[in-house]
């Protein structure tokens, strides 16, 4: 029904009228005749279609527009913003109420938005970014960039961070407790020991588990050809020492007509172990010890893909219950340490060393001051360095010498709130309630945590320390540099994986024999790679809705019923125009994460689309809604319906339910051809799949292609939605009504670059909300009023 | 423009100067933490435990028909038959706080667990913390760990240090092990680590003060809490340094989280029993699963997710299925724990003799999302203060806080009331 060109034209018309109206405004806020005529026209629309329910007597939704201030939009901006959003996304007027033509509603919404934007510009409000602690990912990344040390295993044992509003970097959710503090302090000590290479460190045990299931019978990407199953990991060995390796592998040991079970199939399955690609000779691959130099090594453990073994009669092979699998690799150590070796972290830390003639104390000072500048994100002050030197002396005097001293000081640095928290100090020469620019160093930190989920690098810090970062051209150049940097993969690992439910996918447990770890991994990679392309190739975010290619390996292609893809690595595959796999709504990752363990869930899918692709707030069920459903079900003996869809019809039957489910269900029902793990199906339990649905505004859908087109027709809503998600992530706080004008402005700017992800990022960084704050001062009551 | 008022200052002074590691409104009846609880010679301290299971239960099969001592255990609690004399079923309690607020399903569920031990609507007073944390401030101060929070699923907490600060509940047995026994292979190493940790924390305390300048008020408050938490941690370390960890028989360190639910549960309960036996802590909360969990318990014979099962829509086959899951949970959690405690010697008896455990849920009928009557049972002898073997039916609408207050009294926490309590329960 809608197609893109018409919507753009309407917006253009609306904008044109808006611009014309602004053009003739007087300073007093618009009492000129053209403005008033337009305003009157829009109020008429409001009165005819909104105030019929939202008036002082009926007060639907506890809201009345009757006596709201019509001249000063800043007065109830929060109500207006919610109203505009509901109109834009079709939630209001409700399904059963009279609606005008879509153009009329669009005009009114555009006019309201324009008024709200003007009110905001008269008194901009960037809000307040609450004090944020580093979450686990940020902590691990910061250590990586600070010390060239992989702390992911240590960070994985810190208490889990709670996600609020979809992201785990929400400042308010990052609370602290004595347990957490102890965990961070202990982690700091462990990292100190391992990064420096302390010969007295105790032995630890790291266990890697292989993806279970079918993956074990096929070649795993990254392992040597000619093997099957297994796993490949990069493990950081902290010292030159002996390590014990233990491979957990299973195989059936009994054969047919072999009562004693004494026949052994190749002494257990043949296991191949390689170090950095080179095979090593071990007597018993199940458990062996090896001397390994310090540093990162790539270890691969796999089964030799050979079903033949000496001494086994082929007749017996058919009876073997399981062909064997590698389950785990456990590395314990270090034992018999010889030395700290030459690891990337030691090279990063020891820019000088007494062994090379440097004077101990001066060298320590040099090391610590350099690292502190990075860790604290500002040039280290003499007091800060002195604090660290005190710990250096403590460690050195405990008998460990120079290196242990540095280690103690490092632990001190990593336990400091200056490292763990991102402080933003309020200048004294600004009045409370005034908007001010944050410092360049604070801006550098916001920028690096947004794009890299990590600390700023030396170049960014230098520009900021020199007060040059605030210059718009320099800032834009830095954003470009950062987006091109490999560290920008954090946007995929943290932003995309939370927004697109990839972390939920990790926890999903579908009751489907076709699902296993290998398929899950491929699903995840497909979505990650598509999103990563937005960064690497400056693509439009609309490519997420309708892409002419995707990433597949043999396993995933088979799952999708696509021929001609061989091998375990993910590669780009073109998709024809009628392919249901175009865009994320065809990705098995999202389809699985929005399903129940034993069936699809159109409501969950619809809800995700409404929230994340249309940006509409999803209302809660009214009180008593659930009671109604079960009562009706009890009366009808059974939950009638052969298919999930039929059972959902109850949502239509009850008026209490259809108001909202009329918006949610159709979007999910249009995807019913995708089963609970994203396979295409024409039948569900023998009944033909019915993917017809009607959206709130009457748009008829049948199948995912129609849904895709409908969403593309509402691309403004989609871009607004993704901008809001990105801003929530960038700021580490939930968005408020006073952020919406900024969102609109960002969307308008990004339109000029075809809505590329790059343009969105640039516009967010350039916004007042990202670069400024409101001073709240020392009075807590003022602070809570602002928040 | 308003400036710092004296009121604000004195609250901070109270925090700093009092020497008590608590940064919250003081309870009038609080005993200063430094004072060791006088215990009668030879009477072992009572251990307090709270085990939470979400999504209520099929109440008709949980609650026995008869009251008093002569009752038949319903199918859901049938696995507890061997320990019949060591627990009381308490029926009829209500968690009023869980009804307050947004009526959406998600909020309703999450309130059930959040309010279970606070009995107050999310984030409000007057109760300053959850019942276990209040107990921790009284009887937890004498052990290296005031309390231990454990869970079999991440992402939720039932223990609240303040109305808005949930405590993280640990899922990984290896991390729990390291927290109990320290990080390091030998006792000397462990001691050295503790010393280093202490000096670190001491230094950080001084640093925070200088950071407070020029911070917005809300951020300053967070730093205040940070400071409080550091002091608390230092205090615990000092206690741990005194306790004879070197003499403990430390078991093998677990590798990580087992993939099998039953193994995971057993391991965590074993660690809890060790922690209690060694007096490393006396208080614990345990989350079997979080509200809204849709986990499939494959060894229970039920293949549908937990939350989905809980919405049975009154269909008999679905009710049977939920009940099957309820029985499975009883068997693998509380039944296992009671057996473990009953067979662990403690002083002149067993750990079960000297503990007081609450097992239950903040939700009653999960299909309706209601919060009364709650499925609850209280187990353990509380060092002779509690007699088991009864089904106690309280008047309809009795606040769950009454039971929590009673439990707190049994461990000598002298509160007059707790949250919305109106009295005590005769357990």
């Amino acid at each position: 029904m809608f197609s893109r060109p018409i919507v753009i034209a309407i917006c253009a018309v609306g904008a044109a009228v808006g611009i014309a109206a602004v053009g003739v405004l007087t300073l007093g806020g618009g009492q000129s005749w053209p403005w008033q005529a337009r305003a009157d026209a829009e109020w008429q629309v409001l009165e005819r279609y909104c105030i019929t329910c939202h008036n002082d007597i009926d007060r639907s939704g506890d809201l009345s527009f009757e006596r709201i201030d019509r001249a000063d939009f800043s007065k109830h901006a929060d109500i207006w913003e919610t109203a505009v959003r509901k109109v834009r996304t079709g939630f209001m007027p409700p399904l059963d109420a009279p609606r005008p033509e879509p153009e009329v509603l669009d005009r009114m919404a555009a006019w309201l938005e324009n008024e709200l934007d003007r009110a905001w510009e008269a008194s901009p409000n960037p809000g307040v970014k609450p004090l944020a602690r580093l979450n686990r990912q940020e902590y691990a990344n910061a250590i990586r960039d600070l010390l060239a040390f992989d702390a992911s295993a240590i960070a994985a044992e810190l208490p889990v961070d709670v996600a609020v509003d979809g992201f785990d970097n929400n400042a308010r959710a990052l609370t602290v407790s004595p347990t957490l503090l102890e965990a961070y302090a202990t982690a700091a000590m462990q990292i100190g020991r391992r990064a420096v290479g302390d010969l007295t460190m105790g032995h630890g045990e790291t266990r890697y588990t292989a993806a279970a299931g079918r993956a074990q019978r096929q070649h795993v990407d990254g392992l040597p050809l000619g093997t099957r199953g297994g796993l490949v990991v990069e493990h950081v060995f902290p010292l030159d020492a002996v390590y014990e390796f233990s491979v957990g592998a299973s195989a059936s040991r009994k054969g047919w007509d072999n009562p004693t079970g004494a026949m052994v199939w190749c002494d257990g399955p043949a296991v191949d172990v390689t170090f950095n690609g080179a095979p090593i000779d071990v007597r018993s691959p199940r458990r062996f010890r090896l001397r390994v130099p310090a540093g990162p090594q790539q270890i691969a453990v796999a089964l030799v893909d050979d079903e033949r073994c000496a001494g086994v009669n082929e007749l017996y092979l058919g009876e073997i219950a399981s062909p064997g699998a590698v389950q785990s690799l456990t590395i314990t150590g270090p034992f018999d340490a010889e030395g700290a070796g030459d690891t990337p972290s030691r090279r990063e830390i020891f820019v000088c060393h007494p062994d090379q003639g440097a004077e101990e104390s001066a060298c320590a000072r040099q090391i610590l001051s350099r690292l502190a500048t990075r860790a604290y994100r500002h040039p280290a002050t003499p007091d800060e360095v002195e604090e660290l030197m005190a710990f250096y002396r403590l460690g050195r005097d405990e008998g460990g010498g120079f290196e242990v001293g540095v280690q103690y000081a490092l632990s001190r640095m990593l336990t400091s709130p200056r490292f763990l928290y991102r402080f933003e100090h309020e200048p004294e020469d600004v009045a409370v309630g005034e908007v001010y620019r944050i410092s360049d160093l604070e801006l550098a930190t916001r920028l690096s945590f947004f794009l890299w989920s990590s600390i700023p690098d030396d170049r960014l810090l230098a520009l900021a320390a020199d007060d040059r970062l605030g210059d718009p051209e320099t800032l834009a150049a830095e954003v470009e540099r950062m987006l091109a940097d490999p560290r920008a993969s954090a946007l995929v690992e943290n932003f995309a994986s939370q927004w697109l439910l990839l972390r939920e996918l990790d926890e999903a447990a579908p009751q489907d024999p076709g699902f296993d770890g290998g398929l899950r991994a491929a699903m995840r990679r497909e979505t990650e790679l598509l999103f990563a392309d937005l960064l690497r190739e400056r693509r439009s975010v609309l490519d997420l809705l309708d892409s002419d290619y995707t990433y597949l390996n043999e396993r995933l292609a088979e799952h999708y019923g696509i021929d001609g893809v061989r091998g375990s690595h993910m590669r780009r595959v073109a998709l024809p125009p009628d392919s249901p796999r175009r865009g994320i709504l065809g990705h098995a990752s999202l389809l699985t994460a929005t399903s129940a363990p034993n069936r699809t869930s159109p409501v969950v899918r619809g809800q995700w689309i409404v929230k994340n692709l249309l940006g509409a707030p999803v209302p809660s069920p009214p009180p008593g809604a659930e009671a109604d459903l079960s009562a009706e079900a009890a009366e009808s003996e059974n939950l009638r319906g052969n298919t999930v869809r039929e059972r959902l019809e109850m949502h239509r039957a009850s008026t209490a339910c259809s108001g909202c489910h009329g918006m949610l269900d159709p979007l999910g029902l249009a995807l019913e051809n995708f089963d609970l793990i994203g396979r295409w199906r024409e039948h569900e339990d023998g009944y033909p799949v019915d993917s017809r649905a009607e959206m709130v505004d009457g748009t008829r859908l049948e199948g995912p292609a129609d849904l895709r087109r409908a969403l593309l027709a509402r691309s403004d809503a989609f871009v607004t939605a993704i901008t809001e998600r990105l801003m929530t992530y960038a700021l580490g706080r939930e968005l408020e009504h006073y952020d919406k004008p900024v969102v609109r402005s960002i969307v308008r700017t990004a339109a000029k670059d075809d809505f590329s992800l790059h343009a969105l990022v640039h516009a967010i960084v350039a916004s007042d909300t990202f670069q400024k704050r409101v001073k709240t001062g020392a009075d807590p009551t003022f602070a809570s009023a602002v928040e | 423009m308003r400036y710092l008022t004296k009121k604000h200052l004195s609250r901070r002074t109270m925090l700093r100067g009092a020497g008590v590691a608590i940064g919250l409104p003081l309870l009038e009846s609080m005993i200063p933490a430094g004072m060791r609880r006088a215990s009668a010679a030879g009477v072992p301290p009572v251990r307090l435990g709270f085990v939470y299971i979400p999504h209520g239960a099929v109440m008709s099969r949980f609650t026995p028909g008869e009251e008093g001592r002569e009752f038949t255990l319903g199918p859901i609690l049938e696995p507890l038959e061997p320990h019949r004399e060591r627990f009381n079923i308490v029926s009829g309690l209500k968690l009023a706080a869980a009804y307050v607020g947004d009526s959406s399903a998600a909020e309703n569920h999450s309130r059930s667990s959040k309010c279970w031990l606070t009995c107050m609507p999310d984030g409000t007073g007057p109760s300053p913390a959850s019942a276990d944390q209040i107990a921790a401030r009284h009887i937890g101060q004498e052990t290296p760990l005031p309390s231990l929070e454990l869970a079999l699923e991440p992402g939720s907490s039932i223990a609240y240090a303040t109305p808005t600060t949930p405590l993280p509940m640990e899922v990984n047995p290896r991390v729990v092990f390291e927290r109990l026994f320290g990080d390091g292979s030998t006792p000397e190493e462990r001691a050295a680590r503790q010393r280093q940790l202490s000096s670190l924390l001491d230094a950080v305390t001084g640093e925070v003060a200088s950071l407070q300048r020029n911070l917005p008020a809300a951020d300053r408050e967070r730093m205040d809490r940070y400071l409080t938490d550091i002091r608390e941690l230092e205090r615990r370390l000092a206690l741990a340094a005194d306790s004879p960890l070197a003499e403990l028989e430390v078991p093998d360190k677990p590798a990580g989280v087992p993939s099998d639910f039953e193994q995971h549960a057993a391991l965590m309960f074993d660690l809890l029993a060790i922690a209690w036996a060694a007096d490393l802590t006396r208080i614990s909360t345990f989350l079997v699963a979080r509200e809204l969990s849709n986990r499939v318990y494959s060894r229970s014979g039920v293949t549908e997710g937990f939350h989905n099962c809980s919405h049975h829509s009154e269909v008999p086959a679905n009710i049977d299925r939920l009940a099957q899951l309820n029985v499975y949970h009883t068997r693998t959690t509380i039944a296992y724990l009671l057996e473990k405690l009953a067979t662990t010697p403690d002083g002149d008896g067993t750990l079960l003799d000297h503990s007081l455990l609450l097992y239950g849920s903040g939700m009653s009928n999960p299909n309706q999302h209601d919060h009364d009557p709650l499925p609850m049972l209280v187990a353990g002898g509380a060092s002779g203060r509690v007699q088991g073997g009864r089904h106690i039916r309280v008047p309809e609408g009795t606040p769950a806080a009454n039971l929590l207050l009673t439990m707190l009294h049994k461990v000598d926490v002298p509160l007059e009331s707790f949250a919305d309590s109106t009295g005590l329960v005769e357990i």
Side-chain angles (χ1 to χ4, degrees), chain B residues 204-329:
Chain B
V204 169
T205 308
E207 191 185 347
V208 174
S210 62
L211 281 168
Q212 302 268 43
R213 280 181 293 112
N214 296 332
L215 278 186
D219 296 350
R220 235 184 261 218
E221 275 182 43
R222 301 192 88 193
M223 279 293 105
D224 273 347
R225 284 202 281 272
Y226 190 84
L227 202 59
T228 310
D229 287 339
I230 295 178
R231 290 241 176 77
E232 169 60 17
L233 191 49
E234 285 180 308
R235 192 193 60 82
R236 292 183 198 179
L237 287 175
L239 257 177
D242 283 341
S243 80
L245 267 176
E247 291 151 34
L248 275 178
E249 216 181 276
V250 173
D252 286 336
K253 198 198 293 206
V257 182
S259 46
D260 176 55
F261 170 77
E262 283 184 50
Q263 253 186 14
H264 188 195
L267 187 49
M268 296 294 266
F269 284 124
D270 287 350
L271 285 170
L272 172 57
I274 296 173
W276 277 0
D279 211 27
L280 293 172
T281 187
R282 292 176 194 161
I283 302 182
S284 182
T285 44
F286 197 107
L287 186 81
V288 172
R290 59 168 196 271
E291 285 286 344
L292 287 172
S293 167
N294 222 5
R295 184 173 183 166
V296 175
Y297 298 91
S298 36
R299 285 167 61 173
S300 67
V302 174
T303 55
E304 175 69 75
F306 193 1
H307 178 234
N308 286 355
C309 277
S310 72
H311 283 287
H312 50 68
S313 306
E314 305 301 335
V315 172
N318 294 348
I319 295 179
D320 286 342
R321 189 176 59 178
L322 178 60
Q324 190 180 346
L325 209 46
N326 291 156
V327 178
Y328 177 74
H329 284 137

Side-chain angles (χ1 to χ4, degrees), chain A residues 94 103 173 205 226 239 354 402 416 527 535 579 601-602 649 772 786:
Chain A
E103 302 85 76
E205 186 185 277
L239 297 175
F402 174 74
S416 164
T527 308
L535 288 173
S579 167
S601 178
E649 280 302 311
K772 299 184 181 170
V786 164

Side-chain angles (χ1 to χ4, degrees), chain A residues 128-133 157-160 162 171-182 185-186 188-190 193 200-203 205-207 376 387 391 394 398 407-408 411-413 415-418 420-421 423-428 431-432 507 509 511 596-599 620-623 626-627 630 633-634 637-639 773 776-781 783 787, chain B residues 1-5 8 102-105 145 149 154-156 164-168 170 172 174-175 178-179 183-185 189 192-197 199-201 203-204 206-208 210-223 225-226 228-230 232-233 236-237 253-256 294 296 302-305 308 311 313-316 318 321 367-369:
Chain A
V128 173
K129 185 183 180 311
L131 179 62
R133 150 173 84 72
E157 293 190 348
L158 294 169
V160 176
V162 173
R172 274 194 227 295
L174 293 167
T175 52
V176 156
S177 63
T179 308
L180 193 104
L181 279 179
E182 189 179 359
T186 315
M189 293 186 336
Q190 281 175 347
R193 283 197 291 278
T200 67
M201 73 172 74
H203 60 268
E205 186 185 277
T206 317
R207 189 183 193 161
Y376 299 162
E387 262 170 24
F391 264 77
L394 190 66
E398 281 248 330
Q407 189 187 307
Y408 265 56
S411 308
R412 170 74 184 87
M413 197 187 302
T415 329
S416 164
R418 286 184 169 100
L420 293 173
Y421 279 83
F423 288 99
E424 290 183 0
H425 294 269
E426 297 187 325
E428 280 169 12
V432 172
E507 305 294 316
Q511 306 277 288
N598 63 345
R599 59 169 172 81
S620 320
E626 266 165 287
S630 44
E637 294 161 307
N638 239 326
L639 265 174
R773 301 173 62 112
T776 57
D779 188 332
T781 54
E787 287 161 22
Chain B
M1 191 153 70
R2 292 184 54 200
Y3 294 90
L4 272 178
T5 61
H8 185 71
D102 189 327
S103 60
S104 75
L145 283 178
E149 290 77 37
S156 180
T164 51
T165 317
L167 294 179
E170 189 51 61
N172 188 335
R174 172 158 61 148
V175 176
E178 280 170 2
R179 195 176 304 156
D183 168 38
S185 341
E189 258 169 41
R193 306 263 192 267
Q194 301 292 60
R195 278 197 305 274
Q196 191 185 358
L197 193 54
S199 355
L200 277 177
L201 296 174
V204 169
E207 191 185 347
V208 174
S210 62
L211 281 168
Q212 302 268 43
R213 280 181 293 112
N214 296 332
L215 278 186
D219 296 350
R220 235 184 261 218
E221 275 182 43
R222 301 192 88 193
M223 279 293 105
R225 284 202 281 272
Y226 190 84
T228 310
D229 287 339
I230 295 178
E232 169 60 17
L233 191 49
R236 292 183 198 179
L237 287 175
K253 198 198 293 206
N294 222 5
V296 175
V302 174
T303 55
E304 175 69 75
N308 286 355
H311 283 287
S313 306
E314 305 301 335
V315 172
N318 294 348
R321 189 176 59 178
N367 194 54
Q368 301 291 108
H369 286 171

